[in-house]
């Protein structure tokens, strides 16, 4: 059964207040707490005891692939058990077939015995569910609410509320994730040219233009939304990707992974200690200052410098400082002090 009637005045006001808070929470709540806070606030608009929230991919006449999941007031094994019987879940089949339309059922009316057993095990007497097209290509965002058998089953008004709020919930959830990962990217050590966020299947949830351009420089003709196989393998193994052209850092965060990509350059041939010395030169430090910072002698610094020149194919500190401040250079611009010191010959003292 579906619904499309407008909300009554009191419910409309409560729903409007919830939506205003929802978008505020997407900016102020952490990734770990946004869904919990959203559902806690939502109970005053659409009462429920437990909930199941996530993203999935529905293949035509194929299985449902779960890309993300979150449960409220349910044990973690709920997701595992649902995965085992999802092909028999007629509620899931209905909402996937009709995106944007809420569907409600009573557990006792379900056809398959496995669903009946699962409902009894987890105290589910009735359910209402909806799936909407996610901001992520090819995925649906779903949200199911559950009530016990001794509570009033979900009705027409409940479905009206669910249909009204769900596009906003999906958009705010996406915005919350984007805000979180933009913060991770901005606060990371080392310079990066582009970034993207993907799930464990290699489906892109968002990316910037620089990321797409750099990936195409390595894999000609790539157009997404799934990542190239080599990057999907790195995500599965939780390891970084390095090639002649690109360096991709993989940083997992629960069900999602932050990818930070930059073009490689001659500076990638340096050892960690040599990279430290180059970074010090970029700050405009002298031999003695670098030696003090790194806990070594000025002679050792000079020895490292000769190795750095050889690896980078440069002949003097002016060329070194300019190379270090150039495009691999992906991050902070070269400090004026370093440029002036190199030009004046003071940086080597």
């Amino acid at each position: 059964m579906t619904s499309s009637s407008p909300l009554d005045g009191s419910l409309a006001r409560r729903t409007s207040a919830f939506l205003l808070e929802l978008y505020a929470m997407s900016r102020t709540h952490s990734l770990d707490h946004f869904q919990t806070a959203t559902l806690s606030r939502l109970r005053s608009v659409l009462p429920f005891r437990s909930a199941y929230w996530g993203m999935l991919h529905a293949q035509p006449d194929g299985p449902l692939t779960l890309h993300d999941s979150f449960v409220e007031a349910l044990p973690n094994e709920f997701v595992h058990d649902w995965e085992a019987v999802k092909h028999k879940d007629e509620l899931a089949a209905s909402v996937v077939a009709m995106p944007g339309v809420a569907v409600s059922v009573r557990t006792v009316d379900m056809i398959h015995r496995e669903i009946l057993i699962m409902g009894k095990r987890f105290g589910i007497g009735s359910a209402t569910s909806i799936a909407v097209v996610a901001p992520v290509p090819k995925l649906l965002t779903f949200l199911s609410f559950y009530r016990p058998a001794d509570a009033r089953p979900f009705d027409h008004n409940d479905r009206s509320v669910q249909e009204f709020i769900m596009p906003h919930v999906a958009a705010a959830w996406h915005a919350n994730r984007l805000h979180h990962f933009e913060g991770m990217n901005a606060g990371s050590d080392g310079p990066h040219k582009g970034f993207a966020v993907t799930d464990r299947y290699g489906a892109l949830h968002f990316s910037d233009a620089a990321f797409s351009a750099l990936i195409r420089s390595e894999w000609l003709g790539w157009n997404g939304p799934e990542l190239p196989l080599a990057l999907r393998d790195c995500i599965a193994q939780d390891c970084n990707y390095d090639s002649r052209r690109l360096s991709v850092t993989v940083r997992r965060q629960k069900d999602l992974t932050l990818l930070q990509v930059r073009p490689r350059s001659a500076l990638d041939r340096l050892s960690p200690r040599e990279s430290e010395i180059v970074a010090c030169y970029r700050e405009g430090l002298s031999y003695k200052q670098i030696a003090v910072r790194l806990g070594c002698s000025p002679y050792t610094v000079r020895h490292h410098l000769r190795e750095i020149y050889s690896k980078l194919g440069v002949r003097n500190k002016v060329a070194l400082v300019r190379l270090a401040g150039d495009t691999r250079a992906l991050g902070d611009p070269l400090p004026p002090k370093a440029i002036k010191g190199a030009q004046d010959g003071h940086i080597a003292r």
Side-chain angles (χ1 to χ4, degrees):
M1 181 178 179
T2 63
S3 61
S4 59
S5 61
L7 308 179
D8 65 46
S10 174
L11 184 56
R13 287 191 293 274
R14 296 200 307 273
T15 302
S16 178
F18 161 74
L19 293 179
L20 291 174
E21 290 187 39
L22 173 70
Y23 284 109
M25 289 190 296
S26 72
R27 299 188 300 273
T28 59
H29 282 56
S30 69
L31 196 68
D32 292 335
H33 297 124
F34 172 74
Q35 288 172 287
T36 299
T38 296
L39 292 174
S40 176
R41 179 63 182 82
L42 187 53
R43 276 193 170 93
S44 65
V45 179
L46 200 167
F48 62 92
R49 190 177 76 173
S50 55
Y52 184 26
W53 181 353
M55 283 189 191
L56 55 80
H57 175 53
Q59 303 178 36
D61 300 321
L64 301 176
T65 303
L66 191 63
H67 282 238
D68 196 292
S69 63
F70 175 84
V71 291
E72 172 75 6
L74 286 167
N76 290 330
E77 57 263 30
F78 174 87
V79 177
H80 176 270
D81 288 7
W82 181 79
E83 285 270 37
V85 301
K86 62 186 178 184
H87 58 291
K88 296 184 177 182
D89 186 346
E90 58 215 77
L91 177 60
S94 296
V95 299
V96 165
M98 300 182 294
V101 176
V103 180
S104 57
V105 297
R106 295 189 309 163
T107 303
V108 294
D109 296 328
M110 303 290 274
I111 298 173
H112 296 285
R113 180 173 176 271
E114 293 88 343
I115 301 298
L116 295 173
I117 293 173
M118 187 173 174
K120 184 175 181 180
R121 178 183 178 189
F122 295 106
I124 297 173
S126 66
T128 184
S129 184
I130 190 170
V132 297
V133 176
V136 181
K138 297 186 178 181
L139 298 186
L140 295 171
T141 300
F142 70 88
L143 181 54
S144 300
F145 298 116
Y146 307 117
R147 289 174 180 165
D150 59 356
R152 175 181 63 83
F154 293 98
D155 58 19
H156 179 86
N157 286 335
D158 296 319
R159 292 191 297 275
S160 294
V161 171
Q162 198 172 22
E163 290 177 1
F164 184 77
I165 65 169
M166 190 57 194
H168 300 277
V169 170
W173 186 29
H174 185 75
N176 174 256
R177 290 176 153 200
L178 179 59
H179 179 75
H180 172 83
F181 282 103
E182 283 180 332
M184 280 186 64
N185 183 58
S188 63
D189 294 331
H192 298 280
K193 269 284 189 180
F195 89 105
V197 175
T198 180
D199 59 36
R200 62 182 180 273
Y201 294 104
L204 280 177
H205 286 231
F206 29 80
S207 62
D208 62 10
F211 177 88
S212 300
L214 286 167
I215 295 301
R216 289 190 188 99
S217 74
E218 180 84 354
W219 291 276
L220 298 178
W222 177 83
N223 200 33
E226 290 185 347
L227 291 171
L229 179 59
L231 287 183
R232 298 203 300 269
D233 288 343
C234 287
I235 292 168
Q237 298 169 26
D238 198 17
C239 65
N240 297 333
Y241 174 86
D242 288 297
S243 71
R244 184 174 61 84
R245 292 188 183 90
L246 295 182
S247 178
V248 183
T249 302
V250 175
R251 300 175 63 190
R252 182 170 294 171
Q253 183 86 17
K254 292 192 171 182
D255 288 335
L256 297 177
T257 298
L258 173 66
L259 302 178
Q260 297 167 305
V261 59
R262 63 173 176 81
R264 301 196 72 182
S265 79
L267 290 171
D268 289 297
R269 295 195 290 270
L270 301 182
S271 69
R273 176 47 63 97
E274 290 167 347
S275 295
E276 285 184 284
I277 290 173
V278 171
C280 290
Y281 273 115
R282 291 185 73 238
E283 293 181 34
L285 302 184
S286 68
Y287 277 133
K288 291 182 179 180
Q289 290 170 322
I290 295 173
V292 170
R293 175 177 291 189
L294 301 183
C296 62
S297 70
Y299 174 80
T300 301
V301 175
R302 289 189 179 92
H303 170 74
H304 280 303
L305 184 61
R306 286 193 294 270
E307 292 296 315
I308 292 168
Y309 283 174
S310 176
K311 289 182 178 181
L312 299 184
V314 298
R315 296 184 178 182
N316 55 58
K317 287 174 286 298
V318 173
L320 170 61
V321 171
R322 290 197 178 280
L323 177 62
D326 205 357
T327 58
R328 185 247 190 193
L330 307 172
D332 298 334
L334 191 63
K337 178 183 176 183
I339 295 176
K340 186 177 187 304
Q343 292 172 337
D344 295 344
H346 299 312
I347 196 168
R349 285 197 315 213

